[in-house]
Amino acid sequence: MKETRNVMKELFEMDDEYKQKLYSEDPLKPCRLHTSRPTHATDGNQHLWRDYFYHPCHPLEEWQHLWPQNPTKYREYVGACSVEVKNLASRILRLISEGLGLKCEYFENELSGSMLVSVNHYPACPEPSLTLGVSKHSDPNLITILLQDYVSGLQVLHNGQWIAVEPLPDAFVVNVGFQLQIISNGRLKCCDHRAVTNSSDARTTAAFFVAPLLDCVIEPAQAFIDEHHPPVFKSFKYKDFRSFYIAEKGDTEVVMKSFLA
């Protein structure tokens, strides 16, 4: 975890000429560096203050060759970390399955067949009261496993209040995504969260998004549906959900309302 954090920070410390080669405005490019700092704003007067490097990382053998060759240890460390995070995700999903009363292997198929990582870099910001690192949203995928920095910045919305999730040494944060709420027919809830900036310390995190394959059909598990418990959500392909989610910029209320049964 320490080596992965260090090599990810090193990526954002590379010279601008090299980073420009990784930069792309094309959302369909599988491996790209992007920034929300110069142009993107949230509602009102609050602007976003984040650079991020985004790429698939599972199955590793399909994607690792597309990752940057510099820093020289990036492929090695991030690859090793990705394998272990995917194993951790499988363990967590088996426990969730058991807790929900499903077969332990319920999610061990196309429902968790993809994993992407977003390496997020939040530079120190001269006006943190006017910016957010990431605006309020819930994740579109199944579960998210977040490798935090030692710098605080993650907040979750609880009872109308933003609560800081302080980083713990050698720990991950696990978020429930939209798909887990839908498959559980509302028994589990996705979590609205955001990232804030500060004026003194840069912060670098890695969010591993465990997700269904794009053509996977998502719907409430049959075990949760009977005459007294109708399906709360309709059936859809994950790629259609993602397209709508991106168009609506992750607005939880709008997205959920659109996929109600």
Side-chain angles (χ1 to χ4, degrees):
M1 292 166 68
K2 181 179 179 181
E3 290 167 339
T4 301
R5 268 193 298 260
N6 288 341
V7 79
M8 287 176 169
K9 290 178 181 178
E10 190 180 345
L11 174 70
F12 289 98
E13 293 168 356
M14 302 291 288
D15 63 66
D16 289 343
E17 182 179 358
Y18 178 72
K19 287 189 289 187
Q20 187 63 37
K21 296 176 182 177
L22 303 177
Y23 185 87
S24 175
E25 295 279 351
D26 181 5
L28 298 179
K29 187 175 181 181
C31 185
R32 70 186 184 112
L33 180 69
H34 196 62
T35 183
S36 55
R37 284 192 284 162
T39 57
H40 293 197
T42 59
D43 293 337
N45 297 318
Q46 209 143 34
H47 293 261
L48 300 182
W49 192 263
R50 176 180 69 132
D51 303 328
Y52 58 95
F53 186 58
Y54 189 82
H55 61 75
C57 51
H58 178 81
L60 186 64
E61 62 275 10
E62 291 186 17
W63 302 109
Q64 194 174 30
H65 68 283
L66 297 177
W67 301 357
Q69 294 181 315
N70 291 305
T72 55
K73 294 289 187 178
Y74 185 90
R75 292 184 180 182
E76 176 184 349
Y77 290 157
V78 177
C81 186
S82 297
V83 170
E84 294 303 327
V85 168
K86 188 62 170 65
N87 290 337
L88 174 62
S90 294
R91 291 170 58 193
I92 291 170
L93 287 169
R94 285 197 296 271
L95 292 169
I96 290 173
S97 299
E98 184 178 357
L100 289 171
L102 299 170
K103 294 181 179 179
C104 286
E105 64 273 14
Y106 187 87
F107 293 102
E108 293 181 4
N109 49 40
E110 60 182 8
L111 286 173
S112 61
S114 170
M115 188 170 76
L116 309 170
V117 63
S118 179
V119 185
N120 305 302
H121 181 67
Y122 308 94
C125 178
E127 296 287 349
S129 63
L130 300 179
T131 66
L132 286 171
V134 179
S135 55
K136 184 184 83 167
H137 67 287
S138 287
D139 293 338
N141 48 295
L142 193 64
I143 61 170
T144 303
I145 298 181
L146 177 69
L147 176 61
Q148 288 219 75
D149 200 339
Y150 300 110
V151 179
S152 180
L154 175 64
Q155 295 182 341
V156 297
L157 189 62
H158 180 65
N159 292 333
Q161 299 291 322
W162 286 108
I163 309 297
V165 181
E166 297 298 340
L168 298 175
D170 303 322
F172 291 98
V173 175
V174 181
N175 282 348
V176 170
F178 275 117
Q179 306 314 307
L180 196 51
Q181 179 166 339
I182 291 165
I183 293 167
S184 69
N185 208 31
R187 284 164 170 77
L188 299 176
K189 306 293 185 183
C190 59
C191 176
D192 274 336
H193 54 284
R194 69 180 186 180
V196 296
T197 58
N198 70 81
S199 60
S200 57
D201 297 308
R203 176 173 174 260
T204 304
T205 67
F208 293 88
F209 300 111
V210 179
L213 299 179
L214 289 176
D215 283 323
C216 180
V217 175
I218 307 297
E219 59 189 359
Q222 289 299 313
F224 304 135
I225 299 172
D226 56 36
E227 58 181 331
H228 303 295
H229 303 91
V232 177
F233 303 98
K234 56 190 175 184
S235 175
F236 55 86
K237 285 191 174 182
Y238 180 59
K239 63 183 179 183
D240 296 329
F241 181 96
R242 271 190 57 84
S243 297
F244 185 82
Y245 175 92
I246 292 169
E248 296 298 331
K249 301 179 180 178
D251 187 306
T252 302
E253 293 182 5
V254 172
V255 171
M256 275 300 178
K257 187 179 296 183
S258 299
F259 287 89
L260 292 174

